[in-house]
Amino acid sequence: MSSDSAGMAQLFNIEPTFAGTTVTPQSAMRISAVYACVRLIAGAKASMPVQMFQKRDGARYLVDDHTYLPLLNEEPSTCCSAAVFWEFIESSRQLYGDGFAYIDRNRNGVPQELIPLHPLRVMSEKLVNGRIAYYVMFDDGTYRGVDQDDMLQFCNFGWDGLRSMSTIRWGARQSIGTAIAAENHSGKFFQNGVMPSVVLEYDGKMAPEVVEQLRNEFELRYGGGVNAHKPLILTGGTKAQALQMSATDAQLLETRNFQVIDIARAFGVPPFMIGESEKQSSWGAGMATMSQAFINYTLQPHLVRDEQELKRKLFRIGRYTVEFDRRALLRGDLEKLGAYYRQAIGGSMGPGWLSINEVRRYENAAPMADADGLYSPTPLQGATSETKPAA
């Protein structure tokens, strides 16, 4: 901590940008590009169910009856559903650098609830033994310390041992500041409903009070959006001349378009996925192709960090692991998904790696009799009841 003005501004995230504006999570979310990026990433994360697997006999098996699954997929806390929980965690990470959830355990150490915490309510400290202690202000007004084993910290890029880098502060602060300044200027530009470069010409000489009265009357009758396109009536030889948009005003529009792309770049979101369609995407066509690329290059780093955090904090035994089901985002293109399933069960006369019942389980359908085996064009050596070729 620092007592100088620059240090305090950095501490409370109120340091001004080069454009003279202050970027905070609240002001940043008023920019449509920031709102769209955060909403897209958080919504995609919340739409993927969390799967649990168990390692046994050198293989990995899907678990669907564990007591932790409702916490991760239905109701982590009494205050919210799982979708709202994951959206809050992801938006906290993008805006503040980290998402936090307190693990409320019973006397046996079994998690009973995952309580989401606002990042500003959590302070962290590195202890002498290398562990991290968290000091949390809870909703009931109590302030108490929490051991690192009872706190889920979903980190962003750039973790320094205690906190991670906030996207809006480190990656897009100047771009967001410029966007805020451009928004303010654009609002003032269109506030009066007419070009601010309208010139009223009068051949004679007016007294100062008459000039002021004319200006006020003109703004009163023709200013604002409600007065737009009203017929303009001038008397006494007064003429109105509207100037063309200047190069500075045209450059303002280009600046606003560029800030959308620059903000999307900081969040790792392709601009076309937040409505910037002036430039053609190089990611290929089709919802499945774009969704898979978005998963690989934008969501994957966050998902891996979250999976590892959940595994090391929730499971004392190493044979369990959790994963977000990436296939949930591929269901928008049924043709591509159907082709994948067909190939997975051996539709091209090649060896299959999924059984028919596994595919039906992914699609929430009831299992079929004698549909648990894997297809193979030749009998599998040492086939078991789970690996023998399908009939």
Side-chain angles (χ1 to χ4, degrees):
M1 297 180 61
S2 175
S3 59
D4 63 290
S5 57
M8 295 300 293
Q10 183 178 6
L11 174 65
F12 291 101
N13 198 22
I14 57 175
E15 46 199 320
T17 62
F18 295 148
T21 56
T22 300
V23 177
T24 64
Q26 290 74 24
S27 63
M29 285 295 285
R30 295 188 180 98
I31 300 300
S32 60
V34 177
Y35 181 91
C37 288
V38 176
R39 179 193 56 81
L40 177 66
I41 297 175
K45 169 78 169 298
S47 64
M48 290 184 287
V50 182
Q51 295 180 316
M52 185 177 299
F53 298 91
Q54 182 181 11
K55 298 179 182 178
R56 188 173 68 249
D57 300 329
R60 196 176 71 158
Y61 299 91
L62 182 65
V63 179
D64 56 6
D65 58 352
H66 199 281
T67 56
Y68 290 178
L69 286 174
L71 288 178
L72 300 175
N73 290 295
E74 297 177 9
E75 190 179 30
S77 175
T78 56
C79 66
C80 62
S81 64
V84 174
F85 173 85
W86 289 117
E87 283 183 334
F88 175 79
I89 292 296
E90 192 59 42
S91 61
S92 297
R93 169 161 46 197
Q94 298 299 325
L95 298 175
Y96 294 93
D98 299 276
F100 294 95
Y102 171 66
I103 307 175
D104 187 16
R105 304 180 187 268
N106 60 16
R107 294 182 178 181
N108 296 326
V110 179
Q112 302 296 302
E113 191 176 4
L114 304 179
I115 303 176
L117 300 172
H118 196 284
L120 295 182
R121 290 191 173 190
V122 180
M123 295 184 63
S124 54
E125 178 187 9
K126 183 67 70 69
L127 302 180
V128 178
N129 58 5
R131 297 178 63 83
I132 300 177
Y134 298 90
Y135 304 97
V136 182
M137 175 66 73
F138 288 91
D139 292 338
D140 58 1
T142 60
Y143 185 79
R144 58 183 186 267
V146 176
D147 184 74
Q148 66 176 25
D149 289 343
D150 296 327
M151 180 69 71
L152 291 171
Q153 181 176 1
F154 301 98
C155 300
N156 200 2
F157 171 78
W159 185 67
D160 62 358
L162 292 176
R163 287 297 183 102
S164 307
M165 290 184 175
S166 166
T167 304
I168 66 169
R169 179 179 176 187
W170 294 96
R173 192 171 69 89
Q174 297 298 338
S175 297
I176 296 174
T178 303
I180 294 175
E183 287 279 354
N184 294 336
H185 182 77
S186 299
K188 295 178 181 178
F189 184 85
F190 293 105
Q191 182 179 9
N192 294 324
V194 295
M195 292 283 292
S197 52
V198 170
V199 177
L200 297 180
E201 296 183 353
Y202 184 74
D203 295 334
K205 184 177 181 181
M206 289 186 179
E209 58 273 11
V210 178
V211 173
E212 187 66 24
Q213 182 181 1
L214 178 61
R215 180 186 296 110
N216 294 335
E217 289 290 337
F218 187 84
E219 293 180 355
L220 178 63
R221 293 179 179 273
Y222 305 109
V226 295
N227 296 323
H229 308 297
K230 283 186 176 181
L232 180 63
I233 301 176
L234 298 175
T235 60
T238 305
K239 300 178 181 180
Q241 181 179 358
L243 302 180
Q244 298 296 324
M245 180 177 290
S246 64
T248 302
D249 297 329
Q251 188 177 10
L252 172 64
L253 301 179
E254 296 178 0
T255 299
R256 297 188 64 187
N257 292 335
F258 174 76
Q259 297 309 319
V260 173
I261 299 175
D262 200 39
I263 291 173
R265 183 187 300 117
F267 281 93
V269 173
F272 69 89
M273 296 192 76
I274 60 171
E276 175 55 47
S277 57
E278 291 188 1
K279 296 185 179 180
Q280 186 176 6
S281 168
S282 59
W283 281 22
M287 180 63 70
T289 302
M290 293 186 294
S291 297
Q292 187 62 55
F294 176 65
I295 294 172
N296 293 341
Y297 303 113
T298 303
L299 296 180
Q300 182 70 7
H302 301 314
L303 297 177
V304 171
R305 285 192 291 264
D306 294 352
E307 291 165 352
Q308 294 179 355
E309 181 72 0
L310 291 171
K311 179 181 178 180
R312 77 189 193 98
K313 296 292 181 66
L314 295 182
F315 301 103
R316 304 294 185 182
I317 303 176
R319 66 173 180 263
Y320 287 104
T321 185
V322 293
E323 287 185 4
F324 288 89
D325 188 4
R326 277 79 164 168
R327 291 166 302 187
L329 297 183
L330 299 179
R331 293 176 180 172
D333 194 327
L334 296 180
E335 182 179 356
K336 292 287 184 67
L337 188 60
Y340 168 77
Y341 284 152
R342 192 178 305 112
Q343 188 74 18
I345 63 176
S348 300
M349 301 305 295
W353 63 88
L354 289 178
S355 68
I356 295 178
N357 276 342
E358 286 177 319
V359 174
R360 293 179 63 84
R361 187 184 302 116
Y362 293 146
E363 294 300 318
N364 298 318
M368 297 173 55
D370 299 327
D372 290 322
L374 297 178
Y375 172 79
S376 177
T378 59
L380 298 177
Q381 297 295 328
T384 65
S385 60
E386 294 186 354
T387 61
K388 63 181 180 181

